[in-house]
Amino acid sequence: MSKSLLDLSNVTDLALHAEAIAAVQRVAIPLGITPLIVGAFARDLHLQYAHNIEAARQTEDIDIALQVKDWATFQRLRDMLIETKRFGPKDGVVHRLVYRGETLALPIDIVPFGAVEGADRMIHWPPTGEEVMDVFGFQEAYAAAMTVSLPGPLDIKVVSLAGLFALKLIAWTARHYSAPRKDAHDLSLIARHYLDAGNAERLMSDHAEWLNEENFDYNRAGARLLGRDIAAMMSGAARQRFVELLDAQTDPNSALQLPNDMNRYEPQFALESLQQVRIGLLELER
């Protein structure tokens, strides 16, 4: 899994997104922060814009992860963004802003991680610390991110597709009761199309022996390769956490909630995809 350059600089539909991200970078980089694009916009860059794979559930907002040294730095960055007059608060939520473009407004979520995390890899939002967010996987995704070129031209750091799957799995675990299909839809989409999203050649060059295995299936092979790529991003302890999450959701004696959320019409297909991701995760340990 390489940290490659994805050139989307000629995609005019991305001009407003590039404008908003550039405005964030102009404030963040002098503070020693390189923004990381995560969430559904990262999904769309990888699937829709790079490989013409329809996401079905398109997004109009941008999720930006920020590796910060302390809460004061995060607050300073937020204040400086608002001071540019291009950004304003939204919905009374500290990490939610709106970028005011020349013709359209664009919601922006800024999520801190890094030194502000606790030992449990959670962040506790000031001032009370009562609101928490699980940011497990953000540091690993940041280290394995790739560069994408947008109109401008503008080079940005974007979570890899494998890193996005890992973050979406954590997000589903945290909020599947309140938004049961939001993250599950993306998990299903990534697992189903992982080979089609620029990884088919790797199947032939690196894992050609899989084609000779009994009951070989193209989509399941993609999910297996996805698991390997996630494992390559993670330390042993972090990898184990993902294995345990998948164990819980692929146990035949459980409710199989994640497979059902991923594909209510074909939960067995989703279950088999998750099982293959788990196999890939474990194979790299051998």
Side-chain angles (χ1 to χ4, degrees):
M1 183 177 57
S2 62
K3 300 178 185 179
S4 56
L5 172 67
L6 177 60
D7 187 1
L8 300 176
S9 58
N10 292 322
V11 181
T12 56
D13 287 351
L14 295 172
L16 176 62
H17 298 82
E19 179 185 310
I21 296 168
V24 174
Q25 289 199 157
R26 282 194 294 270
V27 172
I29 290 177
L31 296 176
I33 303 167
T34 300
L36 172 68
I37 307 302
V38 296
F41 181 58
R43 175 206 66 199
D44 290 350
L45 291 176
H46 283 292
L47 298 181
Q48 179 177 336
Y49 292 105
H51 297 286
N52 295 313
I53 299 169
E54 184 60 51
R57 186 181 62 83
Q58 292 185 323
T59 184
E60 292 299 329
D61 61 0
I62 304 175
D63 297 309
I64 302 179
L66 304 162
Q67 188 173 42
V68 296
K69 62 182 180 180
D70 51 38
W71 281 108
T73 301
F74 174 77
Q75 186 61 52
R76 184 182 176 198
L77 182 144
R78 181 180 183 275
D79 291 344
M80 291 174 67
L81 288 175
I82 293 173
E83 288 169 5
T84 67
K85 307 299 184 184
R86 284 291 194 177
F87 295 87
K90 188 175 189 296
D91 301 333
V93 180
V94 66
H95 62 275
R96 192 157 296 151
L97 302 172
V98 59
Y99 175 76
R100 303 185 181 97
E102 295 296 334
T103 57
L104 294 172
L106 197 62
I108 306 286
D109 274 10
I110 51 174
V111 178
F113 70 98
V116 292
E117 299 174 30
D120 57 359
R121 303 294 298 272
M122 307 284 284
I123 58 172
H124 296 255
W125 291 96
T128 66
E130 293 179 359
E131 183 182 353
V132 299
M133 180 182 292
D134 193 341
V135 293
F136 180 77
F138 276 72
Q139 293 186 48
E140 292 81 1
Y142 182 86
M146 63 187 297
T147 299
V148 175
S149 184
L150 296 183
L154 172 72
D155 286 347
I156 61 173
K157 199 175 182 77
V158 178
V159 64
S160 69
L161 205 52
L164 183 59
F165 186 95
L167 296 182
K168 285 289 182 178
L169 182 58
I170 296 296
W172 179 87
T173 304
R175 62 188 182 191
H176 62 274
Y177 290 113
S178 60
R181 302 195 186 279
K182 180 178 180 181
D183 300 301
H185 168 82
D186 290 342
L187 290 170
S188 178
L189 196 67
I190 294 168
R192 182 184 290 268
H193 293 290
Y194 196 65
L195 289 182
D196 298 326
N199 291 301
E201 289 186 8
R202 294 176 57 211
L203 173 64
M204 302 301 298
S205 62
D206 300 341
H207 304 290
E209 70 279 5
W210 292 359
L211 278 68
N212 298 320
E213 294 179 355
E214 187 176 359
N215 299 321
F216 168 80
D217 179 86
Y218 181 84
N219 287 318
R220 287 198 293 268
R224 183 177 174 183
L225 181 59
L226 170 60
R228 284 188 166 224
D229 286 348
I230 294 171
M233 297 167 46
M234 304 289 170
S235 66
R239 195 180 308 156
Q240 184 58 32
R241 178 171 176 183
F242 281 100
V243 171
E244 291 171 358
L245 288 175
L246 291 172
D247 281 346
Q249 295 303 322
T250 57
D251 182 350
N253 296 316
S254 73
L256 300 177
Q257 184 170 359
L258 178 54
N260 280 284
D261 283 353
M262 287 172 64
N263 192 331
R264 71 178 77 180
Y265 303 109
E266 296 180 275
Q268 182 62 31
F269 179 86
L271 173 61
E272 291 173 0
S273 294
L274 292 173
Q275 290 170 334
Q276 290 299 314
V277 172
R278 180 184 178 278
I279 288 171
L281 276 164
L282 292 171
E283 281 180 327
L284 208 60
E285 293 182 342
R286 298 171 187 170

